[in-house]
Amino acid sequence: MKKSGGAEKKRVRRSAAATQNGGRDPNVDAPPRKQNAKKDVFQLFAEKVRDHKDLVSRWAVLQETRVEYFRGKDFVSFLKNHPELKDILESDKNLETEEIANVLLRRNLLVRCDRVVKTVRPGKKKLSTWPAHLEIFPEQVFSENDAFFAWTFVKRRPLWQTLLSFCWPVLTLAICLFPVYPHRCKLLILYSCAGILLLILSLLSIRATVFGALYIILGKRVWFFPNILAEEATLGELFRFWPKKDEEERPKWTTRLFYAIVAVLVILLLRHHAPDEAARARYQKRVSNIIDDVLEWSPRLALSGMMEKQQNVVNTTVSSDSSSQANKTSPEHTASPDSDGAKTFDEHYSDEVIGSEEVADEDKKNE
């Protein structure tokens, strides 16, 4: 009873001190529903903005972690073009763009970053528009001037990606079962994969040839399909045909001449070591034989081959047993092995002596 009375006194003192200081009683079970609602609203706003296609963003490395980030000026122009997204904020929809961004920074939905490399690389006129490496900026305040902001929350995966993740084991199993497919299915898969591979290699070779020719002749760096090898790119950016504007300095004529000589030497070396027609035909025949073996293989042929091998093994074992038993019962092999061995040795010795004498006689006649 004494302990409970002392606890009640302490509780009364704390509540009295809180009311005197104009604060809240911590024991009152009244959750800040308004703050939670606002937090959910800003979280939803951040998710909508991140999933929107019109906000230009890139991926970079921030403290050994890949993050998605955007520029401050792009965020301002995005909200100007899409003011309807502010309706998600309900009572805070009248806030300015800078205030909204600062709220997102305070709620740790965003983090302001800065580029790691702050000096212009040799051969370039200005810094990279989208740096690949970032670091946390000391002041977490929104700004439009050369400011980058990275999302800190995990992006929700859509339903089709979740369903697609369950299809990977099925696809792996289907690849493993390729040998048992019907012959037409094997041909269809083979020609489809070969066609896609040939298309990719042809596109990359033509792209590299055009780049090398324009670099050597005109001194311009032109990459058609500039994002075809990019790790993080949307489907529209991946197949974008027109190249980006060349922001680097024009190369010197000595550099272009050096690369031209190297290209000519490589072409001559490849032509000198190219296989002849006979070697090409042998290689083509070998490859076609391998492909035919893969396409014509079937479980029935494999099982029939195993049965034939097993039958041949049985036949050979039966024949060997019967021959050994016949040798044991035949009277020709009743003699002892020692006498046979001695006889064969004498016969070999006599044959060698006769052969040497005949050779000597022929030598004398020739002389």
Side-chain angles (χ1 to χ4, degrees):
M1 297 295 292
K2 292 183 179 179
K3 290 183 180 179
S4 61
E8 289 179 359
K9 289 182 180 180
K10 290 181 180 180
R11 192 176 298 171
V12 170
R13 289 176 183 175
R14 289 176 184 173
S15 61
T19 52
Q20 288 178 1
N21 294 330
R24 259 183 166 183
D25 187 3
N27 295 320
V28 178
D29 297 332
R33 297 179 181 176
K34 198 171 183 180
Q35 291 182 2
N36 290 337
K38 285 184 178 180
K39 184 178 181 180
D40 296 337
V41 164
F42 280 97
Q43 176 76 30
L44 182 60
F45 174 79
E47 292 175 357
K48 291 290 185 181
V49 171
R50 185 176 183 179
D51 294 336
H52 208 284
K53 297 181 180 180
D54 291 345
L55 180 63
V56 183
S57 62
R58 293 290 187 275
W59 289 83
V61 178
L62 175 64
Q63 295 180 353
E64 300 181 358
T65 305
R66 292 184 61 83
V67 294
E68 185 180 5
Y69 74 100
F70 57 88
R71 298 180 299 182
K73 58 181 181 180
D74 293 335
F75 184 74
V76 174
S77 61
F78 170 76
L79 288 183
K80 285 182 180 179
N81 297 328
H82 301 278
E84 69 276 2
L85 292 177
K86 292 184 179 181
D87 296 337
I88 303 174
L89 301 176
E90 296 177 356
S91 60
D92 296 326
K93 64 181 180 180
N94 295 324
L95 293 176
E96 297 293 333
T97 303
E98 184 176 355
E99 296 176 351
I100 294 173
N102 288 327
V103 173
L104 295 178
L105 289 170
R106 287 196 299 268
R107 295 179 183 277
N108 294 327
L109 296 173
L110 286 178
V111 60
R112 183 176 176 180
C113 308
D114 194 9
R115 61 178 76 243
V116 175
V117 180
K118 299 179 177 62
T119 56
V120 181
R121 293 181 180 179
K124 292 190 176 182
K125 299 179 181 180
K126 59 181 182 178
L127 293 172
S128 176
T129 307
W130 299 96
H133 297 274
L134 299 174
E135 60 183 3
I136 297 178
F137 195 73
E139 299 179 1
Q140 294 296 314
V141 181
F142 182 77
S143 176
E144 299 183 35
N145 302 323
D146 198 25
F148 306 98
F149 300 90
W151 301 106
T152 58
F153 60 91
V154 180
K155 189 177 181 180
R156 293 183 180 179
R157 298 178 61 183
L159 181 60
W160 66 270
Q161 289 185 0
T162 305
L163 296 176
L164 186 62
S165 62
F166 289 104
C167 296
W168 288 117
V170 179
L171 180 62
T172 305
L173 183 61
I175 294 172
C176 295
L177 294 177
F178 175 78
V180 300
Y181 285 173
H183 187 70
R184 292 183 178 179
C185 293
K186 289 181 181 179
L187 288 177
L188 179 62
I189 295 172
L190 176 65
Y191 290 138
S192 300
C193 295
I196 293 172
L197 183 61
L198 180 63
L199 177 63
I200 294 173
L201 293 178
S202 302
L203 178 62
L204 294 178
S205 60
I206 294 173
R207 180 172 175 263
T209 303
V210 172
F211 174 82
L214 293 179
Y215 182 84
I216 293 172
I217 297 173
L218 301 178
K220 294 184 178 181
R221 302 173 182 86
V222 179
W223 283 109
F224 294 100
F225 294 101
N227 300 323
I228 196 67
L229 299 177
E231 295 181 1
E232 299 291 343
T234 60
L235 192 62
E237 294 176 352
L238 189 65
F239 294 101
R240 188 165 63 89
F241 175 76
W242 196 249
K244 297 180 180 179
K245 186 179 179 181
D246 188 11
E247 299 178 353
E248 300 181 6
E249 294 181 356
R250 189 174 182 178
K252 298 179 180 179
W253 67 272
T254 54
T255 306
R256 293 157 56 191
L257 180 62
F258 171 75
Y259 283 115
I261 295 172
V262 170
V264 171
L265 292 177
V266 169
I267 293 172
L268 294 177
L269 185 64
L270 292 176
R271 186 174 181 179
H272 181 266
H273 292 281
D276 55 358
E277 188 65 23
R280 187 195 62 79
R282 288 195 302 269
Y283 180 74
Q284 182 180 1
K285 185 177 181 181
R286 189 184 308 169
V287 172
S288 63
N289 290 335
I290 294 173
I291 294 174
D292 291 339
D293 292 338
V294 173
L295 293 177
E296 294 176 358
W297 186 91
S298 66
R300 293 180 181 178
L301 293 176
L303 292 175
S304 62
M306 292 173 63
M307 295 299 293
E308 289 177 359
K309 289 181 180 179
Q310 188 175 2
Q311 189 67 26
N312 293 331
V313 170
V314 171
N315 294 333
T316 53
T317 53
V318 170
S319 61
S320 62
D321 292 339
S322 61
S323 61
S324 62
Q325 190 171 0
N327 291 331
K328 288 181 182 179
T329 57
S330 62
E332 296 177 359
H333 296 277
T334 55
S336 62
D338 296 335
S339 62
D340 293 340
K343 186 177 179 180
T344 55
F345 178 75
D346 294 337
E347 290 177 355
H348 283 294
Y349 180 73
S350 62
D351 293 338
E352 289 178 359
V353 172
I354 294 170
S356 62
E357 290 177 356
E358 291 178 354
V359 171
D361 294 337
E362 289 180 358
D363 293 337
K364 286 181 182 180
K365 289 180 181 179
N366 293 328
E367 290 175 357

